[in-house]
């Protein structure tokens, strides 16, 4: 058992692993019906009670306070099974957590129980065409009118666009205040002013697209937290989830490692299994060592977050950076061990190779994590400094 985990986490891991091995190990062949498969996965994750780990007890959750370690354990095991299941878990949690943490009692009662059960699907809409890494540059606006707000603007790369029932949306209520003028809202998908403009095809199965707000009228009760709290809400949410992206990377790399070992033992060349060659053994040794280091960094970061330590953000950035970069290398080496079989479309290795790439981009690219780490080392408070 890892030093940062206790008995509860081990039991949770065993439960998710068993479910994932039974339900996800053949995943990947159903990519053309991503939306249907995604909806089914959310319902299954709800039925199994896994989604409840992203919510506090009072609203269908498991613990009084959401734990990063629970989320990491679940994401690691789901990603080992099939990345789409991890994606569905993560986006559901991302779209629930701001409401759980900052929402009104009414918002929590209304939105959280169906999200915990998987009978409703959530989304988190922050990114825009001119506001990717620089989220504070967002241009969407929420203007006060008739006791509510009117939303206008565009969002891109929004996971679950088109299948979500509710979106947590970030828009400016005071453009002259830049980041300090951003507010968060929860918007129902059936609001006629919320338009799914375009679905995007990314290199691995992932329901994602662009949405627009065209004279989208929302009531005052849609505001999450106070006006102007939006950037804080987004960053607190991403602070929790950053190390969990590292956990997904660890799960995916673990699967690649297992596939490489299995193939290497079975495949014979020059009258012996590939694993008899030192060149292959050295690759495996390096892959296993990087995987172990990544796992330790991830669970250390999660433990640091759960214990409320001041350096949690730094540790999370280090964990996400190292684990996602390591997973990329491990998957690449595992594919190399498979030779030509690794690039056959539809094979597990080909799927892992496509699935691993986006982890280094979303929820803060590797470059942004390096900036956060360096800023912390140098005692600077802003990226621009
Ligand atoms: C599969 C997927 C799912 C996503 N899901 C969601 C979602 O559900 N909700 C949501 O809101 N967003 C989502 N995103 C968006 C994601 O968070 C952004 O793509 C990410 O933050 C990077 O923004 P960008 O793509 O605009 O890249 P840019 O910010 O344009 O960056 C381009 C490149 O420049 C680098 N760069 C930028 N600034 C600096 C700097 N100061 N110094 C050095 N290098 C720099 C970046 O690291 C990157 O390599 C998703 C993205 C993907 C790929």
């Amino acid at each position: 058992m890892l030093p940062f985990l206790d008995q509860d986490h081990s039991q949770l891991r065993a439960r998710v692993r068993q479910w994932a091995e039974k339900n996800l190990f053949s995943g990947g062949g159903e990519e053309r019906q991503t939306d249907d498969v995604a909806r089914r996965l959310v319902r299954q994750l709800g039925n199994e009670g896994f989604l409840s780990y992203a919510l506090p007890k009072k609203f269908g959750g498991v613990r009084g306070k959401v734990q990063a370690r629970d989320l990491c354990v679940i994401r690691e095991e789901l990603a080992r099974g099939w990345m789409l299941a991890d994606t569905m878990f993560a986006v559901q949690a991302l779209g629930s957590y701001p409401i759980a943490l900052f929402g009104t009692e009414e918002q929590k009662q209304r939105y959280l129980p169906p999200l915990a059960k998987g009978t409703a699907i959530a989304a988190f809409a922050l990114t825009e065409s001119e506001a990717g890494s620089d989220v504070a540059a967002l241009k969407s606006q929420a203007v006060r009118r008739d006791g509510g707000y009117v939303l206008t603007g565009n969002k891109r790369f929004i996971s679950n666009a088109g299948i979500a029932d509710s979106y947590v949306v970030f828009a400016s209520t005071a453009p002259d205040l830049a980041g300090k003028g951003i507010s968060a809202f929860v918007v129902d998908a059936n609001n006629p002013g919320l338009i799914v403009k375009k679905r995007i095809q990314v290199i691995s199965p992932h329901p994602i697209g662009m949405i627009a707000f065209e004279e989208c009228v929302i009531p005052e009760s849609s505001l999450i937290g106070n006006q102007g709290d939006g950037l804080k809400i987004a960053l607190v949410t991403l602070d929790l989830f950053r190390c969990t992206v590292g956990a997904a990377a660890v799960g995916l790399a673990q699967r690649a490692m297992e596939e490489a070992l299995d193939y290497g033992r079975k495949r014979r060349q020059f009258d012996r299994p590939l694993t008899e060659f030192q060149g292959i053994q050295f690759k495996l040794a390096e892959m296993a060592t990087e995987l172990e280091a990544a796992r330790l960094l991830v669970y250390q970061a999660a433990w640091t977050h759960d214990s409320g330590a001041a350096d949690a953000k730094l540790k999370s950035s280090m964990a996400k950076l190292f684990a996602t970069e390591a997973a990329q290398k491990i998957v690449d080496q595992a594919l190399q061990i498979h030779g030509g079989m690794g690039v056959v479309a539809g094979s597990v290795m080909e799927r892992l190779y496509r699935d691993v790439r986006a982890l280094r981009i979303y929820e803060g690219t590797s470059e942004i994590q390096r900036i956060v780490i360096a800023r912390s080392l140098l005692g600077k408070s802003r990226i621009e400094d």
Side-chain angles (χ1 to χ4, degrees):
M1 189 162 49
L2 283 165
F4 308 105
L5 300 179
D6 59 32
Q7 202 61 37
D8 277 4
H9 302 116
S10 301
Q11 284 164 1
L12 176 61
R13 181 185 294 284
R15 209 151 62 77
V16 185
R17 177 168 287 214
Q18 192 185 31
W19 182 82
E21 287 184 351
K22 185 165 167 225
N23 293 279
L24 302 178
F25 263 50
S26 59
E30 301 168 279
E31 297 179 10
R32 281 193 189 81
Q33 308 97 37
T34 298
D35 285 359
D36 293 342
V37 179
R39 284 193 188 94
R40 193 188 71 215
L41 282 168
V42 172
R43 274 195 305 276
Q44 287 178 310
L45 294 171
N47 284 341
E48 293 301 319
F50 301 150
L51 294 175
S52 300
Y53 283 88
L55 295 172
K57 201 166 195 164
K58 199 168 161 205
F59 301 98
V62 175
R63 300 184 196 265
K65 192 167 168 255
V66 176
Q67 270 201 3
R69 284 169 295 171
D70 288 337
L71 302 185
C72 284
V73 165
I74 295 171
R75 290 198 67 176
E76 183 184 340
E77 293 304 326
L78 293 179
R80 176 174 169 264
W82 186 21
M83 200 59 194
L84 183 58
D86 166 67
T87 299
M88 297 320 295
F89 174 82
V91 182
Q92 187 81 345
L94 262 178
S96 316
Y97 192 68
I99 301 173
L101 211 58
F102 296 94
T104 61
E105 200 65 17
E106 187 199 333
Q107 288 168 346
K108 291 176 187 172
Q109 297 287 1
R110 178 168 166 208
Y111 290 101
L112 298 185
L115 293 178
K117 286 193 205 111
T119 51
I121 295 183
F124 180 89
L126 178 63
T127 303
E128 299 181 0
S129 55
E130 303 308 318
S133 301
D134 184 8
V135 289
L138 62 77
K139 295 278 182 299
S140 290
Q141 284 195 31
V143 176
R144 272 206 171 273
R145 194 198 289 167
D146 301 333
Y149 294 88
V150 180
L151 271 174
T152 48
N154 293 282
K155 298 280 175 186
R156 76 168 179 185
F157 289 129
I158 305 308
S159 300
N160 288 349
I163 64 166
D165 297 286
S166 61
Y167 294 74
V168 170
V169 177
F170 297 87
S172 182
T173 39
D176 44 324
L177 295 179
K180 292 198 176 94
I182 295 172
S183 302
F185 302 89
V186 54
V187 184
D188 294 333
N190 62 8
N191 185 315
L194 189 162
I195 297 151
V196 178
K197 280 278 178 192
K198 192 178 162 199
R199 299 296 300 278
I200 305 166
Q201 202 83 41
V202 289
I203 59 176
S204 61
H206 189 127
I208 187 165
M210 296 166 69
I211 57 172
F213 300 98
E214 296 181 2
E215 282 288 302
C216 179
V217 179
I218 51 171
E220 174 142 29
S221 58
S222 307
L223 180 69
I224 303 175
N226 297 313
Q227 220 175 262
D229 279 353
L231 194 60
K232 179 180 85 183
I233 292 172
L235 296 180
V236 168
T237 302
L238 294 172
D239 281 348
L240 166 65
F241 284 90
R242 195 167 299 117
C243 64
T244 77
V245 182
V250 166
L252 207 138
Q254 172 68 39
R255 179 69 180 276
M257 188 80 223
E258 290 167 21
E259 296 290 331
L261 277 167
D262 186 52
Y263 186 82
R265 284 194 187 105
K266 288 180 185 150
R267 171 73 174 162
R268 293 179 73 86
Q269 286 294 281
F270 304 99
D271 289 331
R272 68 194 70 172
L274 292 180
T275 46
E276 293 295 308
F277 298 111
Q278 199 176 48
I280 300 288
Q281 290 172 0
F282 277 14
K283 272 196 211 306
L284 291 167
E286 274 167 29
M287 289 156 70
T289 306
E290 286 217 44
L291 179 56
E292 194 70 9
R295 188 175 273 120
L296 283 168
L297 272 182
V298 162
Y299 286 99
Q300 174 188 254
W303 174 80
T304 311
H305 180 280
D306 294 342
S307 49
D311 59 351
K313 198 180 165 112
L314 170 67
K315 297 272 197 281
S316 267
S317 284
M318 288 174 164
K320 192 207 178 235
L321 172 64
F322 188 86
T324 57
E325 296 281 336
Q328 182 85 48
K329 285 185 255 164
I330 293 166
V331 168
D332 187 60
Q333 292 291 40
L335 189 149
Q336 192 69 16
I337 290 172
H338 281 71
M341 295 308 290
V343 291
V344 172
S347 67
V348 173
M349 273 322 305
E350 181 259 359
R351 169 164 71 76
L352 293 173
Y353 195 70
R354 286 186 288 114
D355 284 346
V356 75
R357 191 60 184 86
L359 294 169
R360 288 163 60 205
I361 295 171
Y362 59 64
E363 292 181 42
T365 62
S366 290
E367 290 74 20
I368 295 301
Q369 304 312 330
R370 288 187 183 97
I371 291 174
V372 171
I373 296 163
R375 216 173 45 162
S376 164
L377 294 176
L378 299 170
K380 293 179 185 246
S381 60
R382 299 183 322 143
I383 286 190
E384 298 83 354
D385 287 345

